[in-house]
Amino acid sequence: MNDAFFLAVAAATAGLLALALLLFASTLWLHRRTDAKAARSRRLSGLWEQFLLDHLAGEGMAEALWSRVGPGDELDFLHYLWTYHRTLSGEEKVRVESLAAPYLDRLAPRLASRLPEIRARAVITLAALGLDRYERQVLAALDDPSDLVAVQAAGALARSGRAGHLPAILSHFDRYAGWSSGFLVSLLASMGAAALPALRALFADASRSGTERAFAGLALMELSDAEAAQTAAGICASERDPALLEAALAVLGRVGGPEHLDAARPHRLSANPRVRRQALQVIGHLGGEDVWAELRESLEDGSALVRAEAGRSLMKAGATEALEELARSRDRKGDLARQSLEDGT
Amino acid sequence: MTLGGAWGGLLDAFNGLVLAYFLVLNFVYLTLGLLAFAALKRYTLRMKTIDVEEMLSAAGVPPITVLAPAYNEEAGCVESVKSLLTLRYPDFQIFVINDGSKDRTLAKLVDAFEMTPVTRVPVAQVPCAEVRAVYRSRRHPNLFLLDKVNGGKADALNAGLNYCGTPLFCAIDADSLLERDALMRVVRPFLEDSTTVATGGIIRIANGCSVRSGSVTDVSLPRNLLARFQVLEYLRAFLTGRMGWHALDATLVISGAFGLFRHATVTAAGGFWKDTVGEDMELVVRLHRHCREHGIPYRISFVPDPVAWTECPETLKVLGRQRDRWQRGLAQVIWRHRVMLLNPRYGFIGMAAYPYFFFLEMLGPILELGGYLGFLAALLTGHWSPAYVAAFLALSVAFGMALSIGAVAMEELTFRRYTRKADVFRLFVLAVVESLGYRQVLGWWRVKGVFNQFRNSKAWGAMERKGFQAGVAR
């Protein structure tokens, strides 16, 4: 082994030791900095809390709180207000927004940050504390190159409860399509009653994709919108998209009436197990003794989840005696029947 | 040179191979470390952006079943279940699976939680040993107990799969202590990407920490030196290794102590493989194969903020058994799925991640041990100068030190569980001394594990547990 190799090894060792030393020093510095930041945060919270609470109670002036926001503390103050804002409602929420108003301009430049996480954080805060002033920017965030920012903008707009934002949210649907369906449905449903007309229109619009209509339907189900039942029944009669059918059946299961039972029944034999399961749920919810026979047939379904649903639906349809008779048998149907009876009591 | 040419040449060639292994291994570690650093920075920013509680307070969160296999856990099973019942998550069930315990695990659970036999029909048919009875708690309707014939941990998990009616399940160890918001945090990838099929959280060492009412209330380094080394090792393994591979979208390992999986995908892939002591890694590798071979879009990820605390061994004997088992498990899995090795069909996993585990993690310890012996031989026979060997060993120590200190730095940058300056300083000292014996002993156990695997040893070995300490904070 020659000297050059030895020198290379020695140099690499020295380099790594230097790196280790640098990391060591950085860590100690980070430790101190984090401690200092936490102490500062505690100090500021302590400084602002009583004045904020007084103001929310109508006993303190906003100026008393503002005078305690020093230069360099503005963004911390906005974050502090945002954490309170989330937990408040009504008049108190409005008061917090008015406290934040003078400082929002300090946050706005972060909408142009190169980091999507910073942009997303700015969108959430501005939408919560100053949507009237920054509505245009929050809507523009739906077109942000980052899906994270677009989703956060959609969520923030949905939470504002302003129905006028729904078309914009829905027109960017492809940006959130990768997120879980449950999350997206709750995002739409969080708009509340103000969104019902737009959601109903989307649910009924045959020119839109099955996925979009399904999400609209599930949001209507979450909002327990009785008017959606008729549209759902129409979808059950005419559509083939499994996701849309599943959503329509879910709507009927929540808000449907006995007149919608026949719309659900054929789907008990669908090729898609999720559709079959949902259909059974509706049949059990809406039917009586007239559906027991078909529900019993479904106890033999090829899918375990469908079989379990058949048992539950028999309970819901009032077939207790029939289940008790089945429960006396020692086969799989007997176990299902016993499980349904136990769960139902 | 004082040796014959042939012997000297052979020694040179072997030591050259060891050197090449060393350089490649540390280059990979360094690369993973850099990737992990960047990914962790982004992740902590992302955590500040997306409020998990707000995300989950809305409707539509996927229900989760926690599967907790238990074998001879009478000492701590009741406390463990009490802790699980306090998890903060809108919709979850707990299935404790009593895997044919010979002690009073079953009786204790039945008594403590007023459990009564219920009828449950399986929703899947993954093969497993007979389930004798299913119980449900009268006090906690979301708590179930499956009593089955002994079949091992993987078998117990499969039994749990068969009764799990939720779209997601969380597999944990009986002695894992999940933080209250662990489920909320580990489910996030499933909300953000509907193709997610599995996610792993981070495992942290509970030794030395204070535990009250099923929660870790104070985090500090253990007094036991071996346990301290393991704290450092876990930080390196998770914050550097797992995070680095996650950044490359090549997560091959999710710890059996804490992983969240999509039930439908796991059952379609066949559940857990029983004939291995590495059932956790084997499942993840098989999920990669299953999804790729069936053209299913999928994602397997690692999230560093949901935490499961676990006790680690404090004696050489028990630690040695554990590491032997881990290496055997690794070797079993890597050998079983060797079709993926350098196979472009499996993309980056097959061309990069799998070769890393095959050559560097499975076979590497043999080369490493051989390297120490080869260097010693070269030194004793005068073939290499002491200065050269010392330089190389210094390089090896410096590499290890840099990586470990880097892991401590990342911990400080991100989660900062060890808040006492003294603990941070101790971690640095451990990073310096760990290469002066501890790593070498680990390497020896890993070598034994590989050889034991090819000798077909199936032993798990017993873990000596002290139980979580309800101590007072220092």
Side-chain angles (χ1 to χ4, degrees):
Chain A
M1 299 291 157
N2 57 33
D3 286 344
F5 190 79
F6 176 85
L7 280 170
V9 169
T13 304
L16 284 165
L17 287 173
L19 175 64
L21 208 59
L22 180 66
L23 288 168
F24 170 73
S26 304
T27 307
L28 288 181
W29 173 78
L30 259 173
H31 189 90
R32 289 193 66 179
R33 192 183 79 150
T34 311
D35 279 348
K37 273 175 114 171
R40 177 170 175 273
S41 182
R42 280 192 302 272
R43 179 181 61 79
L44 289 174
S45 298
L47 186 64
W48 295 330
E49 187 167 35
Q50 196 51 55
F51 290 94
L52 174 63
L53 293 173
D54 286 346
H55 182 69
L56 291 178
E59 290 166 9
M61 302 290 287
E63 287 75 13
L65 181 51
W66 287 333
S67 67
R68 279 157 176 82
V69 180
D73 292 344
E74 297 90 350
L75 295 182
D76 295 288
F77 184 59
L78 284 174
H79 182 73
Y80 178 76
L81 290 178
W82 176 78
T83 56
Y84 261 96
H85 186 266
R86 293 187 306 165
T87 63
L88 301 173
S89 58
E91 179 60 30
E92 285 179 333
K93 235 176 160 75
V94 174
R95 283 177 189 264
V96 170
E97 288 164 23
S98 65
L99 284 172
Y103 301 97
L104 293 177
D105 286 344
R106 305 282 203 297
L107 183 58
R110 287 194 164 199
L111 292 169
S113 167
R114 63 176 183 84
L115 287 174
E117 290 82 6
I118 303 286
R119 296 198 302 274
R121 182 75 257 152
V123 163
I124 293 167
T125 310
L126 289 170
L129 299 177
L131 188 58
D132 285 339
R133 207 193 321 172
Y134 291 96
E135 187 178 39
R136 187 181 53 80
Q137 288 88 336
V138 176
L139 282 166
L142 291 172
D143 290 310
D144 192 283
S146 162
D147 286 348
L148 173 68
V149 178
V151 166
Q152 295 308 311
L157 289 168
R159 280 189 297 274
S160 73
R162 300 182 190 185
H165 292 144
L166 188 58
I169 294 171
L170 293 173
S171 66
H172 290 80
F173 200 78
D174 58 311
R175 302 299 306 276
Y176 348 116
W179 287 57
S180 83
S181 56
F183 176 74
L184 294 175
V185 166
S186 71
L187 187 153
L188 291 176
S190 67
M191 298 197 79
L196 285 175
L199 287 173
R200 288 176 195 143
L202 174 57
F203 189 39
D205 187 350
S207 68
R208 302 295 288 265
S209 75
T211 309
E212 287 176 293
R213 295 175 69 190
F215 279 122
L218 291 171
L220 288 166
M221 182 202 73
E222 287 295 327
L223 295 167
S224 297
D225 179 41
E227 282 189 40
Q230 203 51 42
T231 307
I235 288 170
C236 287
S238 59
E239 298 287 349
R240 294 283 173 267
D241 183 306
L244 181 55
L245 280 172
E246 196 185 342
L249 288 164
V251 169
L252 292 180
R254 179 72 67 92
V255 295
E259 67 276 23
H260 301 121
L261 177 59
D262 286 339
R265 277 171 122 154
H267 297 290
R268 182 181 72 87
L269 302 171
S270 165
N272 186 301
R274 293 172 63 109
V275 172
R276 293 201 301 276
R277 184 185 180 190
Q278 199 64 62
L280 289 176
Q281 211 174 50
V282 178
I283 294 168
H285 176 64
L286 299 179
E289 194 170 340
D290 54 327
V291 303
W292 290 0
E294 60 207 82
L295 290 176
R296 279 185 72 148
E297 272 180 33
S298 290
L299 288 174
E300 305 275 5
D301 194 280
S303 159
L305 292 174
V306 175
R307 292 195 297 271
E309 190 58 53
R312 281 193 289 272
S313 296
L314 274 166
M315 256 326 266
K316 273 193 278 186
T320 313
E321 280 182 25
L323 282 169
E324 283 168 355
E325 191 190 321
L326 274 172
R328 285 190 274 275
S329 73
R330 290 194 173 278
D331 60 11
R332 183 169 68 184
K333 278 195 294 193
D335 286 341
L336 257 174
R338 277 190 293 280
Q339 178 175 318
S340 304
L341 287 165
E342 285 169 14
D343 288 350
T345 54
Chain B
M1 251 189 248
T2 59
L3 277 182
W7 165 248
L10 201 64
L11 206 51
D12 273 345
F14 180 73
N15 285 338
L17 182 64
V18 169
L19 198 62
Y21 156 77
F22 168 78
L23 287 171
V24 169
L25 180 71
N26 283 290
F27 173 74
V28 171
Y29 283 162
L30 216 53
T31 307
L32 287 175
L34 290 169
L35 289 170
F37 172 72
L40 269 175
K41 265 195 79 174
R42 292 293 295 270
Y43 189 82
T44 45
L45 261 181
R46 196 177 176 93
M47 274 200 307
K48 288 176 192 166
T49 305
I50 302 180
D51 186 272
V52 172
E53 296 219 29
E54 198 168 78
M55 194 190 265
L56 290 170
S57 65
V61 292
I64 294 175
T65 298
V66 178
L67 300 183
Y71 179 70
N72 290 353
E73 300 283 347
E74 66 173 351
C77 60
V78 173
E79 288 307 311
S80 293
V81 173
K82 280 184 181 171
S83 168
L84 289 175
L85 286 165
T86 65
L87 288 172
R88 284 171 49 214
Y89 192 77
D91 187 356
F92 76 103
Q93 295 182 328
I94 302 166
F95 280 15
V96 180
I97 305 133
N98 177 46
D99 191 36
S101 299
K102 295 189 174 68
D103 63 3
R104 297 195 67 243
T105 299
L106 177 67
K108 283 202 151 186
L109 288 169
V110 168
D111 287 341
F113 299 103
E114 294 176 32
M115 308 203 83
T116 53
V118 292
T119 308
R120 283 293 115 172
V121 178
V123 297
Q125 305 297 326
V126 181
C128 67
E130 183 201 352
V131 174
R132 290 186 282 234
V134 181
Y135 298 80
R136 188 176 195 174
S137 168
R138 272 200 288 250
R139 249 194 294 142
H140 306 282
N142 64 331
L143 173 61
F144 292 82
L145 170 61
L146 271 58
D147 180 40
K148 63 181 284 291
V149 170
N150 177 259
K153 184 183 171 189
D155 190 80
L157 287 168
N158 285 337
L161 281 182
N162 288 336
Y163 289 88
C164 167
T166 56
L168 304 180
F169 74 90
C170 178
I172 66 171
D173 281 345
D175 58 348
S176 301
L177 195 61
L178 261 54
E179 290 197 332
R180 293 239 159 91
D181 59 358
L183 288 186
M184 288 200 315
R185 293 181 180 280
V186 79
V187 83
R188 204 157 80 165
F190 287 86
L191 303 181
E192 295 177 1
D193 185 345
S194 57
T195 65
T196 302
V197 299
T199 296
I202 191 169
I203 312 301
R204 289 181 179 265
I205 301 290
N207 304 47
C209 300
S210 302
V211 178
R212 277 200 200 93
S213 305
S215 282
V216 171
T217 54
D218 180 69
V219 178
S220 51
L221 283 185
R223 292 186 193 278
N224 178 278
L225 182 62
L226 265 187
R228 284 184 176 183
F229 277 131
Q230 289 170 80
V231 168
L232 183 64
E233 198 190 340
Y234 275 51
L235 284 180
R236 202 174 49 245
F238 283 93
L239 295 184
T240 309
R242 302 273 172 106
M243 200 69 209
W245 285 116
H246 166 74
L248 292 167
D249 201 14
T251 299
L252 267 191
V253 186
I254 286 175
S255 177
F258 183 29
L260 186 65
F261 301 86
R262 195 173 291 282
H263 180 265
T265 313
V266 171
T267 49
F272 290 86
W273 183 37
K274 290 188 287 186
D275 294 330
T276 177
V277 292
E279 76 288 331
D280 45 4
M281 183 181 179
E282 198 281 332
L283 175 65
V284 177
V285 173
R286 189 150 33 85
L287 285 175
H288 278 289
R289 279 189 71 178
H290 173 78
C291 292
R292 284 179 182 267
E293 288 168 7
H294 291 86
I296 302 169
Y298 77 106
R299 188 131 203 272
I300 294 177
S301 57
F302 168 72
V303 277
D305 55 323
V307 179
W309 296 89
T310 190
E311 249 189 284
C312 72
E314 290 190 346
T315 63
L316 284 170
K317 187 175 165 194
V318 178
L319 181 59
R321 279 203 295 252
Q322 183 194 64
R323 297 315 168 94
D324 177 298
R325 186 180 80 242
W326 285 5
Q327 194 70 10
R328 271 188 287 126
L330 172 74
Q332 279 173 341
V333 173
I334 293 298
W335 190 249
R336 187 182 201 218
H337 295 285
R338 59 193 182 278
V339 68
M340 296 176 76
L341 181 65
L342 296 169
N343 187 337
R345 184 183 184 191
Y346 301 99
F348 186 79
I349 304 280
M351 299 303 287
Y354 212 83
Y356 164 81
F357 280 93
F358 192 100
F359 294 112
L360 299 183
E361 292 287 343
M362 185 175 78
L363 299 179
I366 299 171
L367 212 53
E368 199 174 313
L369 184 70
Y372 288 123
L373 296 174
F375 276 31
L376 190 62
L379 198 61
L380 291 174
T381 55
H383 191 60
W384 282 358
S385 74
Y388 175 74
V389 174
F392 179 75
L393 287 175
L395 178 63
S396 165
V397 169
F399 244 127
M401 206 187 317
L403 288 170
S404 291
I405 292 178
V408 177
M410 280 199 274
E411 164 71 3
E412 190 59 31
L413 179 68
T414 52
F415 307 107
R416 214 175 173 250
R417 293 304 185 108
Y418 297 94
T419 54
R420 296 186 181 84
K421 277 200 194 67
D423 281 345
V424 176
F425 189 72
R426 285 186 188 109
L427 284 170
F428 282 132
V429 172
L430 290 165
V432 172
V433 303
E434 130 187 89
S435 295
L436 305 175
Y438 177 70
R439 282 202 192 212
Q440 287 73 20
V441 170
L442 285 187
W444 166 244
W445 288 325
R446 292 175 69 191
V447 168
K448 273 181 65 184
V450 174
F451 283 118
N452 282 339
Q453 162 52 23
F454 290 108
R455 274 179 30 205
N456 271 327
S457 168
K458 289 181 170 45
W460 267 73
M463 166 70 186
E464 287 159 14
R465 283 206 195 86
K466 289 181 174 178
F468 296 114
Q469 303 300 310
V472 176
R474 280 191 269 141

